[in-house]
Amino acid sequence: MLASAISLASPETPPPLPRLGLISVDELPSGGGCYFAPRKSARTSGYLLVLADWKGTSLVKVVGNPERVLLTLVDVIERSHDDARATVGDMRTEFWRGPGFQVTLKLRTVFACAPADSACEVERFSGSMIVSNPTGAYSLPIRGECGF
């Protein structure tokens, strides 16, 4: 019997949990969008997650990967005071899926336009970003802004 001819199949090992890097300001898509950064970072230092379009895709940068990684929106749960416009205190949880990992944004609205101000088109958030896969998870305090 040849021992070398026998191969034992091992279960596929899940990929390691990715560390997210920052997308630089000069890499941002033009026009309106949503941008999320580490809570205590300067506005010009870069962003952890950038909304790529209004159709349910966003971008992140994984440390060690020179390309930005596309995430797909899976679900959104909102607890809002007013269905027409965001108000301070509204809560929102977004679930995003990437290649081998998930990103969850837990957001609280900290700035919203006054209902009478039709020219104002910005919302600001505070919250956390949870990056997870089968090997583990970590959470980062974040701030964010959406402008239309």
Side-chain angles (χ1 to χ4, degrees), residues 19-43:
R19 254 187 35 222
L20 297 185
L22 295 178
I23 296 173
S24 67
V25 173
D26 60 335
E27 294 179 89
L28 296 178
S30 61
C34 295
Y35 312 102
F36 298 93
R39 190 174 298 150
K40 295 189 179 198
S41 66
R43 289 206 183 277

Side-chain angles (χ1 to χ4, degrees), residues 31-77:
C34 295
Y35 312 102
F36 298 93
R39 190 174 298 150
K40 295 189 179 198
S41 66
R43 289 206 183 277
T44 58
S45 61
Y47 299 92
L48 289 165
L49 185 139
V50 175
L51 190 70
D53 60 35
W54 297 108
K55 298 175 185 145
T57 57
S58 64
L59 300 169
V60 295
K61 187 173 268 188
V62 174
V63 173
N65 182 348
E67 301 297 319
R68 294 176 293 180
V69 176
L70 193 66
L71 302 180
T72 304
L73 185 63
V74 176
D75 196 12
V76 176
I77 299 170

Side-chain angles (χ1 to χ4, degrees), residues 6 12 14 24 26 31 34 45 50-51 56 90 93 104 106-107 115 131 136:
I6 300 172
E12 188 175 317
S24 67
D26 60 335
C34 295
S45 61
V50 175
L51 190 70
D90 285 355
T93 304
T104 302
K106 293 186 175 190
L107 307 169
V131 181

